[in-house]
Amino acid sequence: FSQPLATPIKAAFVESDSIQWLALDSDKPGRLAQPQRWVLHATSDWSIRNLEREPEEVIAELTAHFFELLRLPYVEPDESLAHRWRFARGSLESGAAFDLPLRLGCGGDWSHGARVEGAWLAGQELAEKMLHALQRSDG
């Protein structure tokens, strides 16, 4: 947006049907402050239902919802882009997995809610699973 949006919000986890995260990307350290750039992450369920829609349709719907969430009058973005992250989120029954015969484990922020806390939780869980499996195999 060439004209900054009048909101004190810089980032937010959102409880909505379509948007789960929004962030003022141009406010991050080391980034150009102008033009103002926002990043919206759609929810997994919404993304699955709308994966094959045209990017323009997705942009229009999510942008309109973004302005509703911020309680601001709609302003047409100067530029916009929609990107499909088809495999951005994994699905494990638990947050991490370890295969003893292969001695291979996996886990990450994607397995615990896609936040930095999730990365830590997944690492902790994976370490516990590895230690448990390796201690059993040595005994």
Side-chain angles (χ1 to χ4, degrees), residues 15-33:
E15 293 184 20
S16 83
D17 179 54
S18 60
I19 296 174
Q20 84 167 30
W21 169 253
L22 55 88
L24 179 56
D25 193 59
S26 53
D27 194 52
K28 292 180 180 175
R31 308 267 171 106
L32 294 174

Side-chain angles (χ1 to χ4, degrees), residues 116-139:
V116 69
E117 296 90 345
W120 188 91
L121 289 169
Q124 182 75 19
E125 183 179 344
L126 181 56
E128 289 172 5
K129 286 184 177 192
M130 290 171 65
L131 286 171
H132 183 71
L134 293 170
Q135 287 171 348
R136 281 196 340 226
S137 71
D138 289 341

Side-chain angles (χ1 to χ4, degrees), residues 46 50-63 80-84:
W46 188 92
N50 294 278
L51 187 62
E52 299 305 329
R53 287 178 65 192
E54 292 299 318
E56 297 78 19
E57 295 173 341
V58 169
I59 290 167
E61 184 173 330
L62 292 180
T63 302
S80 56
L81 170 72
H83 183 77
R84 295 178 185 130

Side-chain angles (χ1 to χ4, degrees), residues 50-107:
N50 294 278
L51 187 62
E52 299 305 329
R53 287 178 65 192
E54 292 299 318
E56 297 78 19
E57 295 173 341
V58 169
I59 290 167
E61 184 173 330
L62 292 180
T63 302
H65 191 80
F66 167 71
F67 279 97
E68 289 172 13
L69 289 168
L70 293 181
R71 295 185 177 112
L72 293 174
Y74 183 88
V75 176
E76 191 68 35
D78 296 307
E79 292 185 46
S80 56
L81 170 72
H83 183 77
R84 295 178 185 130
W85 292 97
R86 290 183 187 268
F87 306 108
R89 299 216 172 135
S91 65
L92 297 173
E93 286 185 21
S94 66
F98 180 70
D99 185 295
L100 180 60
L102 293 175
R103 294 188 185 256
L104 179 67
C106 68

